[in-house]
Amino acid sequence: MKKSVRIFWRIFLAGFAALSLLILLANFGVFGKMPSLAELENPSIIQASELYAEDGTLMGKYYTERGNRSNVKYRDISIHVIDALVATEDERFYKHSGIDFKSTLRAVFTLGALGGGSTITQQLAKALLDQGSTNKAWRVIEKLKEWIVAIKLEKNFTKEEILTLYLNIVPFGDNIYGIRNASRTFFQKEPDRLNTEEAAVLVGMLKANYTYNPRRNPKAALDRRNVVLGQMEVNGKITAAEAARLKALPIKLNYRKLDENTGYAPYFREVLKTEIKEALKDIEKPNGNPYNIYNDGLKIYTTINLQMQENAEEGMAQHMAMLQRIINYRTDMKTGSIWKNHEKILEKAARESDRWKNGEEDGLSDKEIRASFDVKVPMKVFAWNSRREKDTVMTPLDSIKYHLQMEQAAFMAMDPVTGEVKAWVGGIHFKTYKNDHVNLKTKRQVGSTIKPFLYTQAMEERGFTPETDCENTAQFFPGSGWVPAGRRCGGGTMTMANALAYSKNCATAYIMKQVGPRQFADFLSRINIPTPVKPFPSICLGTCDLSLYEMLWGYTIFAGRGFSAKPYAISRIEDRNGNVIKRFDYSVNRKEVVSEITAYIMTRMMQGTVDKGTARGMRSRVGAAEMGGKTGTTDDNADAWFIGYTPQLLAGSWVGFEYNFMRNTSDGNTIARPITEYFFKKVLADKKLGIEKDAKFIRPAEMDNEMFSADIIISDTDPNPAGEGVDQGVGTQDDYNEYDSGGDILGPESKPVEENGDKKPKKDTGTVAAKTPAIKKEDDGVPIGSPVKKPEKKKGLLKKILGKKNN
């Protein structure tokens, strides 16, 4: 044997041995942890968690930048996507076992000029290993690891499973991962509805998702799409005539990207994060790690009724737009005098703004940054129109004033018996105003909405009845002084029923004197109001700060027949594979706190408010057979409240400014009631919602005796109309006018996550009924560019031998 031949074989064998050693070392994790067989069979892919309404409609997602993906099954992917992918990325996919040596040799000999050598399985392995080093030497090691994982994948997965897994994790640019999210974002449709040319656009992006992004680079994306169509023709997936026809078409996009503002009930979704994390804190995944709401592909099923949610948002939008128009005409708002002596608030807001932070990053001094806030610039600001924004030119300081002068509102609706939350609107516009005014942590003075609790306790513990005469005079409490302060009372007496209907502060103070401040504070705790209330005499008039969430929780005792029902919003949580990991049984959170008789009598007394009292006529306007309610207004009209209920539904609204020195110009009846009234009117008119107009409160059997036979009598007019300052108005139809938007329809803030309907998850018997969505017509979108016919290139020798892989 010649010396040169021996040298060749020595080099070959040494190289082979070195390569084998590298492969062995890589397989045993010397160059980084390799996934086990179990991990390959159950790959841990970062996946967004999804939130569903009670009917199974997707409300929104929780995800990190790389976790915004939703997995689909092979059967839910268009065959056009499969054909385009295989024809373009790996035309011998069905023939190899993870490594295509022909493509690999071609890539080596041509240095990648005729296409890469990685198979779809190798690309999947690369994604699972999260590799892609720019160091060429280390990239060789990574390639070996990918080969090993690719072979393992082929051994443990079918070809269809590999394709599905690959399409579920690949990036499509714009921080979009997975074929489902790409299909939804670029075309507003599910991946099984993609046609051939749409599939070609998305597959074409896989080579370089920024370069071939049709939104950013329409011409390059069009050319790339036609390359994919050409590969489909070469591989017999479409005919030459069909390829020519499709190449002549422009790209038609219907682009809309999901973000935190997209979807239904954005305030609710944001608040619910904390509750979900709390529910999962003691639950572990099979591998022993805790669940992550952003990465583990959970499915959270809620009690939200989307139609009620939209009704609530519409009611708020229409009323608040009208109210803001009145506010904008106030002299103190127009002249800016409202900010006198409150300049520190503006300074604080300026320093917390992005503009200030950007100025600091640019090295500007505080003086220079502050000066920039007095220079007019073009900007978008919140506005009460269908888009919830408008273009304008103003100084940044004026924009701060403008936004803070917008009055805020909150609304919540729930089932008073079960505690299921049906609608949640935490503010007027989530994108602009993140502070949620419903949740437990956001508290405001509750005004007269607290009075029904005191009247309930007086009946339970002091023997009061609706006919009990109450002194309509200010009461002196040793150590605290007079309640109400200023002693503005009409004198005389009135029945407790009239005192509640017309929200008489002085009569309420008299009842407080009989019950006792300490006893009343303890009673609030017993009916499950979570916030501790200090026992000051004035709390009977609502000087304490509580949340809308707590107030509705407290009001469940009336329609709930004496039971307190904690509001809840989650019915169950499933893992990414559909296994229920937590089911919520809130029956344990129902607690009897007052007698059924007392609760029933209170419902009858509180109907006086919505029939003849401070919310006069509301019951008849919404069309309810029976209804209870209560207005609430705090000192100087800073906070306005209304809470109302029927036997099947409880709802409440709050209205006020972020900073309460701005004040309202009227009471809870005028400022807050219209939102709740709009909601009840819409809900009771919609038979599909199952809230019956004719429903009546159940009269306890114990009341069928002579002692309780008489009806509760409410005066047709205020029996003592002395000006006490709060809750003395009455509602009229004029207060219930809809906002005149000049033809611009003020719909709900919530928007569907997908225009063409989302595929809803399977039904969970007895918990969440999933309905089949209607298939909406496809939106043609906007054409992008026009196709350019590419000249044919002659095949070279290497192309004839190896066959070019067009990727």
Side-chain angles (χ1 to χ4, degrees):
M1 184 179 294
K2 293 182 179 181
K3 183 177 180 180
S4 59
V5 175
R6 289 198 302 272
I7 293 173
F8 169 78
W9 281 109
R10 286 173 183 172
I11 293 173
F12 175 81
L13 291 173
F16 181 79
L19 179 62
S20 300
L21 180 61
L22 283 173
I23 292 174
L24 284 172
L25 292 174
N27 188 47
F28 287 111
V30 174
F31 304 115
K33 184 179 181 297
M34 295 288 283
S36 65
L37 180 59
E39 289 171 328
L40 286 176
E41 291 175 343
N42 297 281
S44 179
I45 301 171
I46 296 175
Q47 182 181 339
S49 293
E50 298 179 332
L51 200 70
Y52 293 95
E54 68 171 357
D55 70 346
T57 299
L58 179 64
M59 296 178 65
K61 300 181 181 182
Y62 300 127
Y63 56 89
T64 56
E65 192 171 88
R66 292 196 60 189
N68 184 16
R69 56 166 59 93
S70 299
N71 289 350
V72 290
K73 296 180 180 179
Y74 182 82
R75 66 173 180 266
D76 295 323
I77 303 173
S78 168
I79 188 62
H80 304 305
V81 174
I82 303 298
D83 289 344
L85 177 65
V86 174
T88 308
E89 294 292 324
D90 191 356
E91 55 192 6
R92 284 180 292 279
F93 174 71
Y94 293 104
K95 297 178 181 178
H96 63 67
S97 297
I99 302 173
D100 186 347
F101 289 103
K102 184 177 179 180
S103 294
T104 301
L105 290 173
R106 181 196 63 212
V108 171
F109 283 119
T110 65
L111 300 178
L114 301 181
S118 292
T119 63
I120 289 174
T121 317
Q122 287 174 262
Q123 293 177 47
L124 172 59
K126 179 183 177 182
L128 290 174
L129 293 169
D130 196 20
Q131 296 186 156
S133 175
T134 56
N135 183 294
K136 292 183 179 179
W138 186 250
R139 185 72 191 112
V140 171
I141 300 297
E142 289 184 341
K143 276 286 185 182
L144 293 176
K145 293 170 66 178
E146 290 164 18
W147 283 7
I148 295 169
V149 173
I151 293 171
K152 290 182 177 181
L153 286 169
E154 290 279 350
K155 184 178 179 181
N156 291 281
F157 289 87
T158 66
K159 291 291 186 180
E160 289 76 14
E161 289 171 336
I162 290 172
L163 289 171
T164 305
L165 192 53
Y166 175 83
L167 286 168
N168 276 331
I169 69 172
V170 288
F172 286 88
D174 290 354
N175 293 319
I176 299 163
Y177 291 81
I179 186 64
R180 191 180 198 190
N181 278 357
S183 176
R184 287 171 167 175
T185 301
F186 286 97
F187 298 108
Q188 293 302 301
K189 56 173 63 176
E190 288 294 326
D192 63 348
R193 302 174 192 173
L194 291 169
N195 58 36
T196 305
E197 62 270 28
E198 291 166 343
V201 170
L202 295 181
V203 170
M205 293 174 65
L206 296 178
K207 183 176 182 180
N209 54 53
Y210 181 87
T211 302
Y212 299 120
N213 186 318
R215 186 175 66 89
R216 297 176 181 273
N217 302 303
K219 177 61 170 59
L222 187 67
D223 292 343
R224 179 61 183 165
R225 182 203 67 178
N226 289 348
V227 169
V228 175
L229 291 171
Q231 282 298 105
M232 294 179 73
E233 177 192 349
V234 169
N235 286 273
K237 301 303 180 183
I238 56 176
T239 65
E242 187 177 5
R245 180 183 65 82
L246 294 176
K247 287 179 181 180
L249 298 175
I251 294 177
K252 296 180 180 180
L253 287 185
N254 185 8
Y255 186 92
R256 184 164 59 86
K257 189 179 178 185
L258 174 70
D259 62 20
E260 65 177 355
N261 303 308
T262 305
Y264 292 101
Y267 284 99
F268 169 76
R269 287 186 281 117
E270 184 66 23
V271 169
L272 204 62
K273 286 181 186 177
T274 303
E275 187 174 339
I276 296 168
K277 292 175 183 177
E278 181 68 21
L280 295 174
K281 69 178 183 180
D282 296 324
I283 302 176
E284 294 181 344
K285 294 188 287 187
N287 62 9
N289 294 328
Y291 280 99
N292 186 305
I293 186 177
Y294 301 104
N295 298 337
D296 286 329
L298 302 172
K299 291 180 174 60
I300 300 103
Y301 296 87
T302 75
T303 62
I304 292 293
N305 181 291
L306 291 185
Q307 187 57 60
M308 292 189 190
Q309 179 70 27
E310 290 188 353
N311 292 339
E313 292 178 5
E314 284 179 3
M316 180 179 291
Q318 292 194 18
H319 178 64
M320 295 306 294
M322 178 271 294
L323 195 60
Q324 191 64 45
R325 185 170 59 175
I326 297 172
I327 291 166
N328 292 342
Y329 278 108
R330 282 168 43 180
T331 301
D332 58 350
M333 294 291 188
K334 291 172 68 175
T335 63
S337 62
I338 190 76
W339 294 104
K340 186 178 180 180
N341 300 322
H342 298 289
E343 292 83 0
K344 288 184 178 180
I345 293 175
L346 299 176
E347 184 69 16
K348 180 175 182 290
R351 288 180 175 275
E352 292 175 350
S353 69
D354 290 337
R355 180 179 295 274
W356 194 286
K357 294 172 184 176
N358 292 336
E360 289 179 330
E361 291 176 1
D362 291 339
L364 300 179
S365 67
D366 283 4
K367 184 177 180 181
E368 291 172 317
I369 298 173
R370 184 64 188 79
S372 72
F373 276 77
D374 295 321
V375 179
K376 289 186 176 183
V377 293
M379 63 177 68
K380 291 183 183 294
V381 296
F382 170 77
W384 278 116
N385 56 36
S386 59
R387 296 182 298 113
R388 301 297 197 271
E389 67 178 18
K390 68 178 181 180
D391 294 305
T392 188
V393 177
M394 65 172 66
T395 70
L397 183 62
D398 284 340
S399 76
I400 291 173
K401 295 177 182 177
Y402 173 87
H403 283 104
L404 288 178
Q405 286 173 196
M406 287 285 172
E407 186 149 33
Q408 300 299 311
F411 178 90
M412 176 177 155
M414 63 180 290
D415 184 319
V417 177
T418 66
E420 295 176 349
V421 175
K422 296 300 181 182
W424 181 303
V425 190
I428 60 173
H429 188 235
F430 181 74
K431 184 177 179 180
T432 308
Y433 302 98
K434 301 298 186 186
N435 188 21
D436 183 286
H437 291 276
V438 173
N439 80 97
L440 186 61
K441 295 180 181 179
T442 306
K443 307 175 194 296
R444 300 289 288 245
Q445 283 195 0
V446 297
S448 296
T449 55
I450 204 169
K451 290 176 181 176
F453 300 141
L454 177 67
Y455 287 49
T456 298
Q457 186 179 13
M459 286 196 292
E460 281 278 288
E461 300 175 5
R462 297 293 184 269
F464 276 54
T465 71
E467 291 75 33
T468 298
D469 283 329
C470 303
E471 295 179 8
N472 192 37
T473 58
Q475 303 295 312
F476 183 79
F477 291 82
S480 298
W482 292 93
V483 177
R487 293 181 280 178
R488 293 175 297 166
C489 301
T493 62
M494 63 175 61
T495 66
M496 186 168 74
N498 277 327
L500 183 61
Y502 292 98
S503 197
K504 309 304 282 187
N505 286 346
C506 297
T508 300
Y510 169 79
I511 297 172
M512 181 63 150
K513 192 74 174 285
Q514 316 311 308
V515 170
R518 168 59 65 186
Q519 290 78 3
F520 182 46
D522 291 342
F523 180 75
L524 292 175
S525 177
R526 291 205 305 275
I527 63 172
N528 292 331
I529 299 292
T531 299
V533 175
K534 294 182 179 179
F536 297 118
S538 61
I539 62 174
C540 68
L541 305 182
T543 57
C544 52
D545 291 351
L546 296 172
S547 65
L548 180 58
Y549 178 93
E550 290 174 287
M551 291 304 294
L552 262 67
W553 186 351
Y555 270 59
T556 60
I557 66 175
F558 303 124
R561 303 170 70 180
F563 282 82
S564 167
K566 181 180 180 180
Y568 78 95
I570 306 174
S571 57
R572 75 182 191 277
I573 300 176
E574 294 180 357
D575 65 16
R576 68 176 69 202
N577 298 315
N579 302 309
V580 177
I581 58 177
K582 189 172 182 65
R583 194 179 298 277
F584 294 77
D585 177 13
Y586 283 91
S587 60
V588 296
N589 288 332
R590 292 193 75 238
K591 175 185 175 184
E592 187 173 12
V593 293
V594 298
S595 70
E596 185 179 1
I597 291 176
T598 298
Y600 179 78
I601 294 174
M602 284 301 302
T603 65
R604 311 319 308 128
M605 285 176 61
M606 294 174 75
Q607 184 160 306
T609 298
V610 294
D611 277 353
K612 303 176 180 179
T614 55
R616 177 186 292 268
M618 177 178 170
R619 181 178 65 86
S620 62
R621 290 194 297 272
V622 302
E626 292 188 353
M627 184 180 196
K630 186 70 191 77
T631 55
T633 314
T634 62
D635 285 347
D636 298 322
N637 299 324
D639 299 281
W641 295 75
F642 182 81
I643 302 175
Y645 57 88
T646 66
Q648 297 171 291
L649 192 61
L650 166 66
S653 50
W654 164 88
V655 177
F657 290 94
E658 201 68 58
Y659 292 97
N660 59 17
F661 68 83
M662 293 183 183
R663 313 299 186 190
N664 282 299
T665 56
S666 191
D667 57 22
N669 172 64
T670 305
I671 303 299
R673 171 197 50 79
I675 299 174
T676 308
E677 181 167 320
Y678 181 96
F679 174 79
F680 271 107
K681 192 171 185 178
K682 283 280 190 176
V683 170
L684 291 174
D686 189 345
K687 293 182 179 180
K688 295 192 296 291
L689 294 176
I691 306 299
E692 300 173 7
K693 283 185 174 183
D694 298 331
K696 294 187 176 183
F697 299 104
I698 299 175
R699 182 184 175 93
E702 296 87 340
M703 294 186 67
D704 292 334
N705 55 54
E706 188 175 344
M707 179 180 177
F708 296 107
S709 62
D711 291 331
I712 294 172
I713 299 174
I714 306 291
S715 299
D716 290 335
T717 59
D718 189 340
N720 199 324
E724 294 183 25
V726 291
D727 294 338
Q728 300 305 310
V730 294
T732 68
Q733 187 60 46
D734 292 336
D735 295 324
Y736 186 58
N737 292 330
E738 294 185 355
Y739 173 57
D740 180 8
S741 58
D744 192 8
I745 299 173
L746 289 176
E749 178 183 6
S750 289
K751 301 296 180 186
V753 179
E754 290 82 32
E755 292 286 345
N756 287 292
D758 182 40
K759 288 194 170 183
K760 299 178 182 179
K762 63 183 180 297
K763 180 177 180 179
D764 180 73
T765 305
T767 308
V768 175
K771 300 177 182 178
T772 303
I775 299 175
K776 300 180 181 178
K777 292 183 179 179
E778 179 184 337
D779 188 343
D780 288 337
V782 181
I784 293 179
S786 57
V788 177
K789 187 175 181 180
K790 299 185 73 175
E792 269 189 40
K793 294 183 180 180
K794 293 182 179 179
K795 288 188 177 181
L797 178 62
L798 286 174
K799 291 182 185 178
K800 290 180 180 178
I801 295 174
L802 301 175
K804 180 178 177 181
K805 179 180 176 184
N806 295 314
N807 64 348

PDB file of all heavy atoms in Angstrom, residues 330 338-340 342 345 638 657 659-663:
ATOM      1  N   ARG A 330     -67.347  73.154  32.209  1.00  0.00           N
ATOM      2  CA  ARG A 330     -67.180  73.809  33.500  1.00  0.00           C
ATOM      3  C   ARG A 330     -66.073  74.854  33.424  1.00  0.00           C
ATOM      4  O   ARG A 330     -65.002  74.611  32.850  1.00  0.00           O
ATOM      5  CB  ARG A 330     -66.861  72.778  34.580  1.00  0.00           C
ATOM      6  CG  ARG A 330     -68.063  72.006  35.051  1.00  0.00           C
ATOM      7  CD  ARG A 330     -67.722  70.805  35.907  1.00  0.00           C
ATOM      8  NE  ARG A 330     -66.688  71.034  36.905  1.00  0.00           N
ATOM      9  CZ  ARG A 330     -66.262  70.098  37.754  1.00  0.00           C
ATOM     10  NH1 ARG A 330     -66.793  68.875  37.693  1.00  0.00           N
ATOM     11  NH2 ARG A 330     -65.323  70.366  38.618  1.00  0.00           N
ATOM     12  N   ILE A 338     -58.897  74.696  38.082  1.00  0.00           N
ATOM     13  CA  ILE A 338     -59.067  73.497  38.919  1.00  0.00           C
ATOM     14  C   ILE A 338     -57.728  73.027  39.495  1.00  0.00           C
ATOM     15  O   ILE A 338     -57.674  72.381  40.536  1.00  0.00           O
ATOM     16  CB  ILE A 338     -59.739  72.365  38.100  1.00  0.00           C
ATOM     17  CG1 ILE A 338     -60.144  71.201  38.996  1.00  0.00           C
ATOM     18  CG2 ILE A 338     -58.806  71.857  37.005  1.00  0.00           C
ATOM     19  CD1 ILE A 338     -61.352  71.454  39.813  1.00  0.00           C
ATOM     20  N   TRP A 339     -56.608  73.392  38.796  1.00  0.00           N
ATOM     21  CA  TRP A 339     -55.292  72.915  39.221  1.00  0.00           C
ATOM     22  C   TRP A 339     -54.594  73.848  40.199  1.00  0.00           C
ATOM     23  O   TRP A 339     -53.468  73.566  40.622  1.00  0.00           O
ATOM     24  CB  TRP A 339     -54.404  72.689  37.988  1.00  0.00           C
ATOM     25  CG  TRP A 339     -54.924  71.574  37.144  1.00  0.00           C
ATOM     26  CD1 TRP A 339     -55.594  71.671  35.974  1.00  0.00           C
ATOM     27  CD2 TRP A 339     -54.843  70.184  37.464  1.00  0.00           C
ATOM     28  NE1 TRP A 339     -55.950  70.412  35.523  1.00  0.00           N
ATOM     29  CE2 TRP A 339     -55.494  69.480  36.425  1.00  0.00           C
ATOM     30  CE3 TRP A 339     -54.299  69.455  38.507  1.00  0.00           C
ATOM     31  CZ2 TRP A 339     -55.613  68.104  36.405  1.00  0.00           C
ATOM     32  CZ3 TRP A 339     -54.407  68.079  38.505  1.00  0.00           C
ATOM     33  CH2 TRP A 339     -55.050  67.422  37.460  1.00  0.00           C
ATOM     34  N   LYS A 340     -55.248  74.940  40.533  1.00  0.00           N
ATOM     35  CA  LYS A 340     -54.646  75.856  41.497  1.00  0.00           C
ATOM     36  C   LYS A 340     -54.449  75.143  42.835  1.00  0.00           C
ATOM     37  O   LYS A 340     -55.355  74.478  43.340  1.00  0.00           O
ATOM     38  CB  LYS A 340     -55.539  77.082  41.681  1.00  0.00           C
ATOM     39  CG  LYS A 340     -54.906  78.164  42.558  1.00  0.00           C
ATOM     40  CD  LYS A 340     -55.817  79.384  42.663  1.00  0.00           C
ATOM     41  CE  LYS A 340     -55.172  80.461  43.533  1.00  0.00           C
ATOM     42  NZ  LYS A 340     -56.038  81.665  43.651  1.00  0.00           N
ATOM     43  N   HIS A 342     -52.723  72.575  43.234  1.00  0.00           N
ATOM     44  CA  HIS A 342     -52.519  71.142  43.023  1.00  0.00           C
ATOM     45  C   HIS A 342     -51.412  70.888  41.986  1.00  0.00           C
ATOM     46  O   HIS A 342     -51.397  69.853  41.323  1.00  0.00           O
ATOM     47  CB  HIS A 342     -53.825  70.501  42.544  1.00  0.00           C
ATOM     48  CG  HIS A 342     -54.948  70.609  43.525  1.00  0.00           C
ATOM     49  ND1 HIS A 342     -54.981  69.901  44.716  1.00  0.00           N
ATOM     50  CD2 HIS A 342     -56.076  71.365  43.514  1.00  0.00           C
ATOM     51  CE1 HIS A 342     -56.087  70.213  45.379  1.00  0.00           C
ATOM     52  NE2 HIS A 342     -56.765  71.089  44.668  1.00  0.00           N
ATOM     53  N   ILE A 345     -49.298  67.574  41.810  1.00  0.00           N
ATOM     54  CA  ILE A 345     -49.840  66.402  41.112  1.00  0.00           C
ATOM     55  C   ILE A 345     -49.372  66.383  39.661  1.00  0.00           C
ATOM     56  O   ILE A 345     -48.967  65.344  39.132  1.00  0.00           O
ATOM     57  CB  ILE A 345     -51.382  66.405  41.185  1.00  0.00           C
ATOM     58  CG1 ILE A 345     -51.839  66.188  42.624  1.00  0.00           C
ATOM     59  CG2 ILE A 345     -51.974  65.343  40.263  1.00  0.00           C
ATOM     60  CD1 ILE A 345     -53.341  66.302  42.810  1.00  0.00           C
ATOM     61  N   ALA A 638     -67.874  64.043  45.516  1.00  0.00           N
ATOM     62  CA  ALA A 638     -66.605  63.498  45.020  1.00  0.00           C
ATOM     63  C   ALA A 638     -66.786  62.107  44.427  1.00  0.00           C
ATOM     64  O   ALA A 638     -66.152  61.751  43.430  1.00  0.00           O
ATOM     65  CB  ALA A 638     -65.580  63.455  46.146  1.00  0.00           C
ATOM     66  N   PHE A 657     -63.548  61.207  39.853  1.00  0.00           N
ATOM     67  CA  PHE A 657     -62.263  61.546  39.263  1.00  0.00           C
ATOM     68  C   PHE A 657     -61.143  60.792  39.974  1.00  0.00           C
ATOM     69  O   PHE A 657     -61.288  60.376  41.119  1.00  0.00           O
ATOM     70  CB  PHE A 657     -62.016  63.054  39.355  1.00  0.00           C
ATOM     71  CG  PHE A 657     -62.909  63.870  38.459  1.00  0.00           C
ATOM     72  CD1 PHE A 657     -64.104  64.403  38.947  1.00  0.00           C
ATOM     73  CD2 PHE A 657     -62.566  64.099  37.142  1.00  0.00           C
ATOM     74  CE1 PHE A 657     -64.921  65.157  38.134  1.00  0.00           C
ATOM     75  CE2 PHE A 657     -63.389  64.850  36.310  1.00  0.00           C
ATOM     76  CZ  PHE A 657     -64.573  65.378  36.800  1.00  0.00           C
ATOM     77  N   TYR A 659     -58.494  62.078  41.065  1.00  0.00           N
ATOM     78  CA  TYR A 659     -58.218  62.931  42.233  1.00  0.00           C
ATOM     79  C   TYR A 659     -59.541  63.596  42.627  1.00  0.00           C
ATOM     80  O   TYR A 659     -60.105  64.381  41.866  1.00  0.00           O
ATOM     81  CB  TYR A 659     -57.153  63.979  41.902  1.00  0.00           C
ATOM     82  CG  TYR A 659     -55.794  63.365  41.659  1.00  0.00           C
ATOM     83  CD1 TYR A 659     -55.355  63.094  40.372  1.00  0.00           C
ATOM     84  CD2 TYR A 659     -54.951  63.043  42.722  1.00  0.00           C
ATOM     85  CE1 TYR A 659     -54.114  62.524  40.142  1.00  0.00           C
ATOM     86  CE2 TYR A 659     -53.715  62.467  42.508  1.00  0.00           C
ATOM     87  CZ  TYR A 659     -53.291  62.212  41.212  1.00  0.00           C
ATOM     88  OH  TYR A 659     -52.066  61.641  41.001  1.00  0.00           O
ATOM     89  N   ASN A 660     -60.011  63.289  43.825  1.00  0.00           N
ATOM     90  CA  ASN A 660     -61.382  63.667  44.160  1.00  0.00           C
ATOM     91  C   ASN A 660     -61.576  65.136  44.503  1.00  0.00           C
ATOM     92  O   ASN A 660     -62.692  65.551  44.799  1.00  0.00           O
ATOM     93  CB  ASN A 660     -61.932  62.779  45.283  1.00  0.00           C
ATOM     94  CG  ASN A 660     -61.111  62.855  46.553  1.00  0.00           C
ATOM     95  OD1 ASN A 660     -60.322  63.779  46.728  1.00  0.00           O
ATOM     96  ND2 ASN A 660     -61.286  61.882  47.432  1.00  0.00           N
ATOM     97  N   PHE A 661     -60.525  65.961  44.442  1.00  0.00           N
ATOM     98  CA  PHE A 661     -60.744  67.389  44.647  1.00  0.00           C
ATOM     99  C   PHE A 661     -61.498  68.007  43.461  1.00  0.00           C
ATOM    100  O   PHE A 661     -62.021  69.115  43.561  1.00  0.00           O
ATOM    101  CB  PHE A 661     -59.416  68.122  44.871  1.00  0.00           C
ATOM    102  CG  PHE A 661     -58.511  68.164  43.661  1.00  0.00           C
ATOM    103  CD1 PHE A 661     -58.691  69.125  42.671  1.00  0.00           C
ATOM    104  CD2 PHE A 661     -57.471  67.253  43.521  1.00  0.00           C
ATOM    105  CE1 PHE A 661     -57.854  69.177  41.565  1.00  0.00           C
ATOM    106  CE2 PHE A 661     -56.635  67.288  42.426  1.00  0.00           C
ATOM    107  CZ  PHE A 661     -56.830  68.251  41.438  1.00  0.00           C
ATOM    108  N   MET A 662     -61.556  67.291  42.341  1.00  0.00           N
ATOM    109  CA  MET A 662     -62.239  67.840  41.168  1.00  0.00           C
ATOM    110  C   MET A 662     -63.759  67.847  41.344  1.00  0.00           C
ATOM    111  O   MET A 662     -64.445  68.705  40.831  1.00  0.00           O
ATOM    112  CB  MET A 662     -61.856  67.044  39.918  1.00  0.00           C
ATOM    113  CG  MET A 662     -60.397  67.209  39.546  1.00  0.00           C
ATOM    114  SD  MET A 662     -60.007  66.333  38.026  1.00  0.00           S
ATOM    115  CE  MET A 662     -58.249  66.626  37.925  1.00  0.00           C
ATOM    116  N   ARG A 663     -64.291  66.852  42.009  1.00  0.00           N
ATOM    117  CA  ARG A 663     -65.707  66.793  42.362  1.00  0.00           C
ATOM    118  C   ARG A 663     -66.642  66.631  41.154  1.00  0.00           C
ATOM    119  O   ARG A 663     -66.304  66.939  40.024  1.00  0.00           O
ATOM    120  CB  ARG A 663     -66.148  68.034  43.133  1.00  0.00           C
ATOM    121  CG  ARG A 663     -65.244  68.462  44.259  1.00  0.00           C
ATOM    122  CD  ARG A 663     -65.099  67.406  45.325  1.00  0.00           C
ATOM    123  NE  ARG A 663     -64.350  67.856  46.476  1.00  0.00           N
ATOM    124  CZ  ARG A 663     -63.928  67.066  47.444  1.00  0.00           C
ATOM    125  NH1 ARG A 663     -64.214  65.776  47.407  1.00  0.00           N
ATOM    126  NH2 ARG A 663     -63.252  67.524  48.461  1.00  0.00           N
TER     127      ARG A 663
END
